[in-house]
C-alpha cells in the first residue's frame, strides 16, 4: 500500500456539547481529520493492495476508539487496534481494484468524540489468475468430476489454500466434496461417493480481486452449472466375459463381451465415459503393431480413456464374445448391443472393469480415474482439507485407439 499519510484539512470546527452539559460524550462528534492519518490514496494515487491499511492518531492529545473498513459489498476488513489507541492496522489483504469506505472514531484529551469517513480505492492487479471450470454446462453421469484450470501455475501451499477456499462447488441435494490438486494448474472436485442422481451442481469463484501471493491476484471466472441424470453403471467382468449395465442400481441389460487379450489386457478400475464417437478409425500401428496388422472403421464407440480404450461394436469377434478375451484392450460387443450402449450412456457415466490381468486405471493422466483413489487419500490432495499440495499425475499415456 502506498505509505502516504493523508492529512485531510478539517472541514468543520469542533462543535461544543449541549449547553450546560458537562459530559463530553453528549457532544456531537467533531470532524477528526486533523487528528488522524492513514496510508491510503493521497494526491490522487490509489492504495496499494499489497500493503496493509494503517490508521494513526497524531499528537498526544487524541486516540482512536474504533475503526471500520468495508468494501463496496459491505464486507468488513479485519484489523487490530493498539492498546494505547494510537494505531490501527488491517490484518487481512485488501482486494485489488476495489472501493473501500473507512470510518474512524476518535476522542480528544477531554473525551470529546471525533469522527472521520474516507472513501478510497485500491490499484488494479498487475498479474491476474483466471479460472476456467469444466466440463461444459449440460447433463452428465454421476461420475463426472468438476474441474478447475488455472491460467498460471501455483505451487506455494499458502497460495493454493487461498485459491481453494475461493472456488465454491454446491449441489442439490447437498453432498460433501473436496478439491484435489492434480498439478500446479489443475484441480478436480468430487464427493466421497458418486454424485446423486438428478443433482444440480454449480461451481463459481470468489477470487476476483483477492490477493493470492507473490503479486498475483484473482481474475474473472465464469460460473458453471451442470446436472446429473440417472445413475448408470456398466460393470465389465473380464473373467466372465459379461457386462452388466445398471440404472439406479437395477440391472437393465447383460451383454456378452470380449476384453483385452494377454499382452493387451484391459485396465482394471473405475473409468468415466469421456466421449461418444459414432465412427472412429483404429489402426494397429497406433499401438505399436505392424502397419498391416489392422486398419478398421469402428462404430458405436464410447471412449473411456485418453489412450484410446473404448466400448464399441466388434462384429469380427462375436464368436468370442462371452467366452474369451481377444481384443487389443477395448471392450467389444455385437453391433446391436454396442448401438444400444452408445444410445444409453452419457458422458460422465461409470464403466468399471474387474478381473482383468491389466494394470490399474491411472487416477488422472489417462482420463477420469478419480474414483479409484480412496477418500482419505483424495483429501490429502487438498491444500485446505488434507495438506498435501504437491500432487502430480501418476503417469503419462499416449493418445491411441485400441480394439
Amino acid at each position: 500500500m502506498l505509505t502516504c499519510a493523508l492529512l485531510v484539512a478539517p472541514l468543520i470546527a469542533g462543535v461544543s456539547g449541549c449547553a450546560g452539559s458537562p459530559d463530553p460524550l453528549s457532544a456531537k462528534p467533531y470532524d477528526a481529520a486533523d487528528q488522524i492519518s492513514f496510508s491510503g490514496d493521497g494526491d490522487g494515487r490509489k492504495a496499494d493492495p499489497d500493503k496493509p491499511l494503517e490508521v494513526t492518531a497524531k499528537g498526544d492529545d487524541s486516540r482512536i476508539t474504533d475503526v471500520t473498513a468495508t468494501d463496496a459489498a459491505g464486507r468488513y476488513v479485519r484489523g487490530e487496534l493498539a492498546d494505547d489507541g494510537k494505531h490501527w492496522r488491517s490484518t487481512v489483504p485488501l482486494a485489488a481494484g476495489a472501493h473501500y469506505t473507512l470510518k474512524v472514531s476518535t476522542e480528544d484529551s477531554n473525551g470529546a468524540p471525533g469522527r472521520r469517513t474516507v472513501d478510497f480505492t485500491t490499484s488494479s492487479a498487475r498479474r491476474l489468475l483466471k479460472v476456467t471450470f469444466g466440463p461444459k454446462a449440460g447433463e452428465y453421469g454421476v461420475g463426472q468430476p468438476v474441474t478447475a484450470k488455472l491460467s498460471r501455475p501455483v505451487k506455494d501451499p499458502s497460495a493454493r489454500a487461498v485459491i481453494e477456499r475461493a472456488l465454491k462447488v454446491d449441489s442439490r441435494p447437498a453432498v460433501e466434496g473436496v478439491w484435489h490438486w492434480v498439478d500446479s494448474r489443475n484441480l478436480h472436485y468430487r464427493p466421497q461417493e458418486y454424485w446423486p442422481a438428478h443433482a444440480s451442481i454449480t461451481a463459481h469463484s470468489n477470487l476476483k480481486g483477492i490477493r493470492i501471493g507473490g503479486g498475483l491476484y484473482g481474475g474473472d471466472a465464469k460460473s458453471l452449472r451442470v446436472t446429473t441424470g440417472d445413475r448408470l453403471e456398466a460393470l465389465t467382468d473380464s473373467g466372465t466375459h459379461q457386462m452388466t449395465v445398471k440404472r439406479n442400481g437395477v440391472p437393465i441389460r447383460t451383454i456378452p463381451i470380449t476384453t483385452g487379450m494377454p499382452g493387451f489386457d484391459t485396465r482394471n478400475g473405475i473409468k468415466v465415459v469421456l466421449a461418444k464417437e459414432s465412427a472412429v478409425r483404429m489402426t494397429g500401428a497406433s499401438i505399436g503393431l505392424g502397419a498391416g496388422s489392422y486398419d478398421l472403421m469402428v462404430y458405436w464407440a464410447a471412449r473411456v480413456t485418453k489412450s484410446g480404450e473404448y466400448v464399441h461394436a466388434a462384429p469380427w469377434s462375436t464368436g468370442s464374445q462371452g467366452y474369451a478375451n481377444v481384443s487389443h484392450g477395448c471392450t467389444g460387443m455385437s453391433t446391436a448391443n454396442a448401438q444400444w450402449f452408445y444410445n444409453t450412456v452419457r458422458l460422465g457415466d461409470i464403466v468399471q472393469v474387474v478381473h482383468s490381468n491389466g494394470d490399474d486405471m491411472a487416477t488422472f493422466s489417462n482420463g477420469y480415474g478419480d474414483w479409484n483413489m480412496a477418500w482419505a487419500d483424495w483429501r490429502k490432495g487438498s491444500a485446505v482439507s488434507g495438506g498435501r499440495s504437491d500432487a502430480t499425475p501418476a503417469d503419462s499415456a499416449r493418445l491411441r485407439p485400441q480394439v
Side-chain angles (χ1 to χ4, degrees):
M1 181 161 295
L2 300 173
T3 311
C4 53
L6 177 65
L7 179 59
V8 184
L11 300 179
I12 306 174
V15 180
S16 61
C18 298
S21 173
D23 184 4
L25 295 179
S26 65
K28 181 180 180 181
Y30 58 84
D31 191 312
D34 60 346
Q35 291 185 333
I36 64 167
S37 63
F38 79 96
S39 54
D41 57 343
D43 301 326
R45 291 174 291 177
K46 295 183 177 180
D48 186 347
D50 281 333
K51 297 180 180 179
L53 176 65
E54 298 183 86
V55 182
T56 303
K58 299 188 299 182
D60 298 329
D61 297 333
S62 63
R63 70 186 188 93
I64 301 167
T65 58
D66 186 59
V67 176
T68 61
T70 56
D71 64 11
R75 292 172 295 206
Y76 286 88
V77 177
R78 293 194 301 273
E80 293 180 344
L81 179 63
D83 292 339
D84 61 3
K86 291 297 184 181
H87 184 258
W88 180 91
R89 177 188 179 98
S90 62
T91 56
V92 294
L94 299 179
H99 179 271
Y100 288 91
T101 299
L102 176 69
K103 296 181 179 180
V104 183
S105 297
T106 66
E107 65 178 21
D108 62 15
S109 58
N110 296 319
R115 188 170 297 160
R116 182 61 178 166
T117 299
V118 181
D119 293 310
F120 68 95
T121 58
T122 55
S123 58
S124 299
R126 292 178 292 275
R127 296 174 60 230
L128 291 177
L129 180 80
K130 297 183 179 181
V131 180
T132 303
F133 291 113
K136 295 180 180 180
E139 185 176 82
Y140 292 85
V142 298
Q144 177 65 50
V146 174
T147 64
K149 186 175 183 62
L150 309 181
S151 60
R152 299 172 181 268
V154 176
K155 298 182 179 180
D156 180 70
S158 60
R160 288 188 173 191
V162 171
I163 294 169
E164 193 174 325
R165 289 189 180 99
L167 302 183
K168 303 298 183 180
V169 179
D170 302 305
S171 69
R172 292 186 177 182
V175 291
E176 178 192 4
V178 173
W179 287 105
H180 185 105
W181 286 80
V182 176
D183 53 38
S184 61
R185 294 184 62 172
N186 293 279
L187 298 86
H188 286 193
Y189 185 99
R190 50 156 276 210
Q192 182 171 359
E193 305 294 339
Y194 301 141
W195 294 103
H198 306 291
S200 176
I201 304 161
T202 59
H204 67 278
S205 170
N206 293 330
L207 265 181
K208 186 176 181 179
I210 298 299
R211 184 174 68 179
I212 297 170
L216 187 64
Y217 288 81
D220 290 326
K222 184 179 179 180
S223 60
L224 169 72
R225 180 179 181 274
V226 297
T227 58
T228 60
D230 288 335
R231 175 168 172 156
L232 200 78
E233 303 165 83
L235 180 64
T236 302
D237 191 326
S238 293
T240 63
H241 316 294
Q242 302 288 325
M243 172 189 280
T244 301
V245 181
K246 295 180 180 181
R247 177 180 282 121
N248 299 323
V250 178
I252 58 174
R253 194 155 179 153
T254 299
I255 301 171
I257 58 166
T258 182
T259 59
M261 69 180 77
F264 296 92
D265 301 275
T266 304
R267 296 171 185 83
N268 282 297
I270 301 170
K271 305 160 192 177
V272 172
V273 176
L274 304 176
K276 293 167 63 176
E277 302 171 49
S278 58
V280 59
R281 183 184 178 189
M282 298 187 181
T283 66
S286 66
I287 59 172
L289 298 178
S293 56
Y294 65 84
D295 188 340
L296 301 170
M297 287 301 299
V298 176
Y299 299 94
W300 310 118
R303 189 170 193 153
V304 293
T305 72
K306 290 182 179 179
S307 60
E309 184 182 320
Y310 288 82
V311 177
H312 64 75
W316 55 85
S317 65
T318 52
S320 298
Q321 292 164 17
Y323 301 99
N325 293 323
V326 297
S327 81
H328 291 94
C330 289
T331 298
M333 58 185 65
S334 71
T335 299
N337 281 329
Q339 186 173 5
W340 176 88
F341 186 82
Y342 181 93
N343 291 332
T344 300
V345 299
R346 63 174 61 83
L347 273 59
D349 280 334
I350 299 297
V351 176
Q352 183 175 6
V353 177
V354 296
H355 302 144
S356 171
N357 293 323
D359 295 333
D360 291 335
M361 173 67 176
T363 309
F364 299 116
S365 61
N366 198 17
Y368 294 129
D370 304 45
W371 305 101
N372 295 292
M373 183 178 288
W375 181 240
D377 293 330
W378 182 270
R379 291 175 61 88
K380 291 178 183 178
S382 163
V384 176
S385 299
R388 185 170 68 90
S389 54
D390 59 348
T392 55
D395 55 26
S396 60
R398 293 195 306 135
L399 306 183
R400 61 185 187 272
Q402 299 164 295
V403 295

